[in-house]
Amino acid sequence: MNEQDLSRFTELLRQSRSAVFFGGAGVSTESGVKDYRSADGLYNTVKEYGVPPETILSHSFFLQKTSVFYDFYYKYFLCETAQPNRAHKALAELERRGILSAVITQNIDGLHQAAGSKTVLELHGTASRHYCMKCGREYPLEELRNLHGGVPYCLCGGLVKPRVVLYEEALDSDVTSRAVAKIENADLLIIGGTSLAVYPAAAYIRSFRGQHVVLINRDATAYDDNAELVFHESIGEVLSRAVAAL
């Protein structure tokens, strides 16, 4: 790791009072949660269903082959034993110190909240909650498996769906508006653990009007040239060391 760049990152954090973190699946891989698009991610390793995981995670597939969807969901999409890692904890500490104003995440695992972050905008929803498509009743994750076995049905008979934004579904307009507003008003934008390949979410970083962008991702992204600092390192290592040096 470039120590000079790490020192500069720490200095940017020290100066900031409205930093925003925009993150993706790579933030949670150190917690044992698989990402999607890497060589060993879900999209490249799950072959047993005869269709790509992207197809399974679509709205139309959910409605047409719900039992297959939930089989995949239980086996591969949930990671109920995962715990917050160094990255989650460092971001929660930055918020506690009044440096970070929001975490904007494409993840659905709830690990930012488990680490103590308060202002978390979940662009793609969350797997911690589910709802009946008929009556709207909410079901937390711990109740899901008690609902009629593999495919969960509500007490009213309606199909229960995760509060996850599937392919073919629109993002929540309130969440996206709040995310864009946070990015627009940030003085430091930290992008981490994301390939920036998922749209429209990845387009929101273009709302940033400040001067300082720090990008932390294992692999290169198309946005690297726009960042003041780029770390192709462990996001947990970079964030934890930067916070420890404050």
Side-chain angles (χ1 to χ4, degrees):
M1 187 182 304
N2 186 307
E3 297 298 326
Q4 185 175 349
D5 285 351
L6 186 64
S7 294
R8 173 59 177 162
F9 182 26
T10 300
E11 183 61 27
L12 291 176
L13 290 172
R14 192 176 290 121
Q15 295 170 356
S16 176
R17 286 299 174 267
S18 59
V20 165
F21 179 80
F22 182 95
V27 178
S28 294
T29 53
E30 290 182 32
S31 295
V33 180
K34 273 186 170 288
D35 65 12
Y36 302 100
R37 290 174 172 78
S38 68
D40 58 350
L42 287 180
Y43 291 173
N44 291 310
T45 58
V46 179
K47 309 290 186 181
E48 67 194 80
Y49 297 98
V51 294
E54 298 99 310
T55 299
I56 298 173
L57 293 172
S58 67
H59 180 80
S60 56
F61 193 94
F62 171 78
L63 294 178
Q64 295 164 10
K65 297 184 178 181
T66 311
S67 61
V68 178
F69 172 91
Y70 267 110
D71 186 75
F72 173 86
Y73 185 73
Y74 290 135
K75 284 183 181 177
Y76 299 109
F77 213 55
L78 296 180
C79 194
E80 298 170 77
T81 60
Q83 298 296 318
N85 63 48
R86 295 176 297 173
H88 300 109
K89 293 174 183 177
L91 292 167
E93 176 63 16
L94 288 174
E95 183 185 50
R96 190 189 69 78
R97 295 191 186 199
I99 295 172
L100 194 72
S101 67
V103 168
I104 301 169
T105 181
Q106 300 170 81
N107 296 344
I108 62 165
D109 51 43
L111 292 177
H112 286 293
Q113 293 93 327
S117 290
K118 305 300 183 184
T119 304
V120 182
L121 301 176
E122 297 170 303
L123 295 175
H124 295 151
T126 177
S128 65
R129 299 191 307 276
H130 305 73
Y131 72 100
C132 174
M133 298 179 71
K134 183 177 180 181
C135 74
R137 177 171 176 162
E138 292 280 340
Y139 288 93
L141 177 58
E142 55 268 22
E143 294 183 18
L144 190 66
R145 296 183 189 274
N146 298 325
L147 300 176
H148 302 281
V151 177
Y153 287 93
C154 179
L155 298 176
C156 77
L159 177 62
V160 173
K161 179 186 179 296
R163 283 209 177 277
V164 172
V165 180
L166 302 176
Y167 290 110
E168 304 168 353
E169 295 178 343
L171 303 188
D172 183 281
S173 59
D174 178 62
V175 174
T176 57
S177 295
R178 291 169 61 200
V180 168
K182 286 290 187 182
I183 293 171
E184 286 178 343
N185 292 306
D187 57 15
L188 168 63
L189 178 61
I190 308 165
I191 303 169
T194 174
S195 62
L196 298 174
V198 178
Y199 285 82
Y204 299 145
I205 61 174
R206 295 173 184 166
S207 302
F208 181 60
R209 299 171 178 174
Q211 295 182 335
H212 308 296
V213 177
V214 176
L215 199 153
I216 313 165
N217 195 57
R218 182 175 63 179
D219 302 316
T221 76
Y223 205 75
D224 283 15
D225 290 343
N226 298 295
E228 177 177 339
L229 299 172
V230 177
F231 297 91
H232 291 155
E233 313 275 353
S234 157
I235 186 169
E237 180 74 8
V238 175
L239 287 175
S240 61
R241 287 188 59 186
V243 171
L246 287 173

